[in-house]
Amino acid sequence: MLTANEIRDSFKSFFESKGHQIVPSAPMVIKDDPTLMFTNAGMNQFKDIILGNQPAKYKRVADSQKCLRVSGKHNDLEEVGHDTYHHTMFEMLGNWSFGDYFKKEAISWAWEYLVDVLKIDPKNLYATVFEGSPEEGLERDNEAASYWEQFLPKDHILNGNKHDNFWEMGDTGPCGPCSEIHIDSRSEEEKAKVPGNQLVNKDHPQVIEIWNLVFMQFNRKADGSLEGLPAKVIDTGMGFERLVRTLQGKTSNYDTDIFQPILTAIAGMTGKKYGEDEKSDIAMRVIADHIRTIAFSVTDGQLPSNAKAGYVIRRILRRAVRYGYTFLDQKQAFMYKLLPVLIENMGAAYPELSAQKGLIAKVIKEEEDSFLRTLETGIRLLEKTMADAKAAGKTEISGKDAFTLYDTFGFPLDLTELILRENGMTADLKEFDAEMQQQKQRARNAATVETGDWIVLKEGTSEFVGYDYTEYETSILRYRQVKQKNQTLYQIVLDKTPFYAESGGQVGDTGVLVSEFETIEIIDTKKENNLPIHIAKKLPEHLEAPMMACVDADKRAACAANHSCTHLLDEALRSVLGDHVEQKGSLVTPDSLRFDFSHFQKVTDEQLREVEHLVNAKIRANIPLTEYRSIPIEEAKELGAIALFGEKYGDRVRVIRFGSSIEFCGGTHVS
């Protein structure tokens, strides 16, 4: 029987033999995409290629991508651990073609890998194809069906609806039909009673999708219409955990060698045996799933916090701690002790786990200790709420109180209900749901953005010239209208720009576009899928006219000083606190800098003063800047340049050096 690590390697080897470049997994935590917090599919790291913002370095690519999904069409955090096949973190095996091969090769290679290489019995395989959509003028994907007919009988090729078999990147952008491969792992007796083709996409735990082949051939415009893509894209994704389960003959992902070592370690730690009690089994599955998510998130630079991606990670960690507390009697921090078994299991495929093991353990233990204190506080608050209700002759607490416990203290509803039940009480769930809906609506209203189509004035790519100039002659390549929070703005792409687009913690430049006819204010510069976008409140009347792009030089100079200072600060912190200190984010504005870093205890006043003295001494030494504009990444590493974990670097990088401070960096600096 193949191990999980052997299966992962066999996938990469197979596609390497088909001319694919094997690339490393992108970070699971996404830094420079405002539309996504986490990598939730294998294609995320290739978005800028698919959108045409960047040329493809390789026409064929394959990888194993670490992904995180905590919401969306196939998953919900509260389901994880309760069934056999949903996860927060999972691996996606994928192969891509950017304008090279298309449906025929994608289908025949998928078949060859599953049937010839992995020896899966073809009678257990089913393929779905897009049934078409008359209202969109799209016919059935007969092309894909004809290729499947070379391998499968017709009753194993099923039509799928738009929800299941038409893939879209978002409301606009690249999209196209897809073909899913499903496998029937039921016993022969069950198959004799009900044929597998009746159970595909019906949520049967043993008839599941394992591979999705996406054929991107259209672009969805803002008005909903479709146009053909000039360069068609193949994007496939196969659930690694489901594939391993199939090949190892198991009925649950948790019974494979991906999870069994972790479950065994949890059993040894808690004195509970997996498989004996449903409640403790669910708790053990939750913890086995969540420890992977948390460890990988920390290695990718995301610490638990109270906002955005950090809040998601904190919520996942607290869910695991709470299951351990309630069902496995773990009243002390315990999850951090599972790291050695996780690293033994996955460290070879993902060496970043071993490299960061000390930091991961410290972060998890600190979070566990903190939440266990919060749990105690929550329980005391709930006890007071119950006492007040009883004194008023009630056996029900208000949904508002239950929601405050959930929202403010991270106290899950099911734990509130459990404690209430033990005391013969209930919560007003209708009121709780109403409070939850109001909060979701507030979040949705704050995030609603209406984006128009790009209006292309001329073809070309945008070039950044801002390291050398703060003013440069330019022209507009394309623009679009964006509506957000009752405000209409315009996004403008220039052919050459001195404006620095917000990234690496440094805020975007502001300034003006000046032509002989008018002056347009640029209020911000952002990066979206690697494209620098200039944001203005109005468009120039003469869109085709040449213009000067002029950066606010005083603001830029202040940003540069603060950015250079973060480099000196990073070096000083490592010198004073130890080499384990790692930058976890920063904010560089004209007025101030903020530097986030990982350390396992509070920094003392004496240490802070020492750091300040070191940084100020370096500034007074007036060390000249040495910039390596575009050097091979291996050369940068030989220089000793410090890379940020969780950042994805290309083959050529920029390195900034001030004496002994040497860092990878794309920002602007003092000379």
Side-chain angles (χ1 to χ4, degrees):
M1 182 174 76
L2 289 172
T3 66
N5 287 328
E6 287 167 344
I7 293 165
R8 189 190 294 108
D9 289 343
S10 83
F11 178 87
K12 292 178 184 176
S13 299
F14 175 79
F15 279 99
E16 196 168 25
S17 77
K18 303 294 184 189
H20 290 64
Q21 175 70 28
I22 306 303
V23 298
S25 170
M28 197 164 73
V29 180
I30 294 178
K31 299 281 170 62
D32 280 338
D33 185 344
T35 64
L36 273 180
M37 289 193 289
F38 302 104
T39 296
N40 63 2
M43 55 70 61
N44 292 152
Q45 68 165 305
F46 306 115
K47 259 174 89 170
D48 42 4
I49 297 172
I50 295 165
L51 288 165
N53 297 337
Q54 193 176 307
K57 189 173 176 197
Y58 308 106
K59 290 287 188 188
R60 300 179 180 187
V61 170
D63 71 353
S64 177
Q65 172 67 51
K66 48 192 180 182
C67 300
L68 173 57
R69 280 186 198 168
V70 284
S71 62
K73 99 173 161 166
H74 291 312
N75 205 345
D76 189 280
L77 179 58
E78 297 309 321
E79 298 303 312
V80 175
H82 288 260
D83 65 19
T84 58
Y85 58 95
H86 276 124
H87 302 290
T88 50
M89 183 234 163
F90 61 96
E91 289 181 74
M92 189 74 92
L93 304 174
N95 58 289
W96 284 265
S97 161
F98 306 112
D100 187 6
Y101 63 84
F102 204 48
K103 294 180 188 179
K104 184 180 181 183
E105 295 84 350
I107 288 170
S108 64
W109 289 339
W111 183 265
E112 185 183 342
Y113 179 64
L114 293 176
V115 176
D116 297 347
V117 176
L118 297 181
K119 310 296 181 199
I120 291 176
D121 189 337
K123 77 171 192 297
N124 294 327
L125 295 174
Y126 294 85
T128 61
V129 296
F130 179 48
E131 67 187 5
S133 170
E135 67 270 17
E136 298 229 42
L138 294 173
E139 60 176 35
R140 177 178 184 257
D141 192 353
N142 293 314
E143 184 188 356
S146 70
Y147 296 135
W148 279 121
E149 283 167 18
Q150 296 171 26
F151 305 110
L152 285 167
K154 285 197 173 180
D155 63 348
H156 280 236
I157 303 166
L158 311 171
N159 285 349
N161 60 27
K162 195 173 167 188
H163 177 266
D164 290 321
N165 281 84
F166 194 87
W167 188 91
E168 309 219 23
M169 188 186 280
D171 294 334
T172 59
C175 56
C178 61
S179 191
E180 296 174 341
I181 303 170
H182 295 252
I183 188 154
D184 185 351
S185 302
R186 296 172 301 149
S187 67
E188 292 307 320
E189 297 79 45
E190 288 177 288
K191 289 175 193 168
K193 285 180 201 162
V194 183
N197 59 14
Q198 291 182 23
L199 299 173
V200 166
N201 276 331
K202 296 286 191 290
D203 287 331
H204 191 290
Q206 302 308 321
V207 184
I208 55 171
E209 174 201 337
I210 54 166
W211 205 345
N212 190 9
L213 316 179
V214 177
F215 314 126
M216 286 189 222
Q217 58 191 88
F218 301 111
N219 179 48
R220 171 83 66 191
K221 300 179 76 173
D223 64 3
S225 63
L226 295 170
E227 61 184 7
L229 277 180
K232 295 186 173 84
V233 173
I234 285 293
D235 159 14
T236 88
M238 174 153 54
F240 176 65
E241 291 78 9
R242 294 181 178 196
L243 178 66
V244 173
R245 161 181 150 187
T246 298
L247 295 173
Q248 293 184 356
K250 306 296 184 186
T251 55
S252 163
N253 293 0
Y254 293 96
D255 292 341
T256 66
D257 67 344
I258 298 173
F259 290 101
Q260 275 300 306
I262 304 172
L263 289 165
T264 302
I266 298 167
M269 201 185 288
T270 60
K272 306 266 186 190
K273 195 167 178 219
Y274 184 67
E276 285 192 343
D277 172 72
E278 193 191 358
K279 282 184 176 173
S280 63
D281 283 358
I282 289 170
M284 290 162 93
R285 288 199 291 268
V286 165
I287 293 160
D289 173 276
H290 290 6
I291 186 66
R292 296 175 3 128
T293 303
I294 298 152
F296 276 102
S297 298
V298 174
T299 66
D300 284 349
Q302 184 55 64
L303 299 187
S305 71
N306 279 335
K308 298 185 180 173
Y311 179 67
V312 174
I313 301 309
R314 174 164 280 167
R315 191 173 154 218
I316 290 170
L317 191 147
R318 288 181 165 189
R319 182 172 186 256
V321 171
R322 201 268 305 166
Y323 269 91
Y325 182 94
T326 307
F327 301 108
L328 302 175
D329 206 32
Q330 296 302 296
K331 308 295 191 233
Q332 304 287 322
F334 68 97
M335 283 180 62
Y336 73 98
K337 296 176 186 169
L338 296 170
L339 265 183
V341 68
L342 177 65
I343 290 168
E344 191 182 331
N345 226 20
M346 299 187 76
Y350 299 101
E352 61 267 33
L353 281 174
S354 312
Q356 301 244 76
K357 64 184 177 192
L359 169 69
I360 306 166
K362 282 164 184 153
V363 168
I364 294 176
K365 184 175 187 304
E366 205 172 277
E367 272 294 307
E368 286 190 87
D369 287 337
S370 163
F371 183 51
L372 286 163
R373 289 192 295 274
T374 299
L375 267 179
E376 299 294 343
T377 308
I379 287 167
R380 280 201 301 276
L381 275 167
L382 181 52
E383 283 170 349
K384 182 181 182 308
T385 305
M386 289 191 299
D388 290 348
K390 281 177 180 170
K394 295 176 185 168
T395 59
E396 182 180 71
I397 70 163
S398 77
K400 215 167 193 166
D401 285 338
F403 186 76
T404 302
L405 278 165
Y406 164 81
D407 196 42
T408 310
F409 297 96
F411 210 68
L413 177 64
D414 52 358
L415 184 57
T416 299
E417 287 186 290
L418 183 78
I419 294 166
L420 287 169
R421 242 188 338 267
E422 287 167 359
N423 288 272
M425 297 182 76
T426 56
D428 183 341
L429 297 184
K430 271 191 178 166
E431 193 180 15
F432 179 91
D433 289 339
E435 292 285 328
M436 180 70 92
Q437 281 310 116
Q438 280 177 8
Q439 190 200 53
K440 283 182 178 171
Q441 195 56 48
R442 283 193 296 271
R444 267 198 293 272
N445 291 344
T448 303
V449 180
E450 281 179 48
T451 308
D453 289 322
W454 284 111
I455 310 296
V456 179
L457 299 179
K458 58 180 182 178
E459 294 297 338
T461 54
S462 184
E463 182 190 345
F464 176 63
V465 296
Y467 295 139
D468 303 310
Y469 304 96
T470 53
E471 295 187 2
Y472 209 83
E473 190 168 331
T474 188
S475 58
I476 296 175
L477 291 176
R478 49 175 147 155
Y479 67 90
R480 68 180 176 186
Q481 187 184 79
V482 174
K483 288 183 181 173
Q484 184 173 18
K485 294 182 185 171
N486 303 322
Q487 188 181 23
T488 299
L489 298 171
Y490 296 90
Q491 297 183 341
I492 299 168
V493 178
L494 303 173
D495 67 344
K496 291 187 170 60
T497 179
F499 283 78
Y500 181 80
E502 181 179 330
S503 62
Q506 181 175 331
V507 297
D509 280 334
T510 60
V512 288
L513 297 178
V514 183
S515 72
E516 61 176 299
F517 308 103
E518 61 200 319
T519 297
I520 298 293
E521 187 186 0
I522 299 299
I523 59 172
D524 200 358
T525 313
K526 300 248 184 227
K527 210 178 249 184
E528 198 170 297
N529 299 314
N530 242 4
L531 196 65
I533 291 169
H534 308 75
I535 299 169
K537 289 182 178 174
K538 66 173 192 171
L539 284 172
E541 284 179 34
H542 301 268
L543 289 162
E544 312 271 351
M547 51 189 72
M548 288 297 289
C550 307
V551 170
D552 181 333
D554 291 343
K555 183 180 166 187
R556 160 75 78 83
C559 276
N562 281 334
H563 201 144
S564 296
C565 206
T566 63
H567 286 217
L568 304 181
L569 182 54
D570 192 12
E571 186 186 29
L573 285 164
R574 292 163 70 87
S575 165
V576 172
L577 302 178
D579 282 341
H580 66 277
V581 165
E582 184 150 291
Q583 183 178 341
K584 290 296 174 189
S586 64
L587 176 64
V588 175
T589 75
D591 310 310
S592 63
L593 67 95
R594 192 195 77 224
F595 189 87
D596 310 333
F597 65 97
S598 53
H599 185 47
F600 44 85
Q601 61 197 105
K602 189 177 188 300
V603 179
T604 66
D605 291 345
E606 290 74 19
Q607 288 169 327
L608 267 183
R609 269 197 294 279
E610 193 180 344
V611 166
E612 286 177 9
H613 289 320
L614 283 172
V615 173
N616 286 329
K618 289 257 172 165
I619 293 168
R620 280 196 296 271
N622 213 19
I623 301 159
L625 163 70
T626 307
E627 178 197 10
Y628 303 86
R629 182 70 58 91
S630 173
I631 61 172
I633 191 161
E634 292 311 318
E635 194 181 316
K637 286 175 179 171
E638 281 166 24
L639 283 172
I642 292 175
L644 291 189
F645 258 104
E647 291 291 342
K648 189 164 174 64
Y649 298 100
D651 294 335
R652 300 190 74 81
V653 293
R654 179 168 177 260
V655 172
I656 294 297
R657 179 175 194 155
F658 289 104
S660 53
S661 163
I662 311 167
E663 298 197 13
F664 288 71
C665 186
T668 64
H669 289 273
V670 296
S671 57

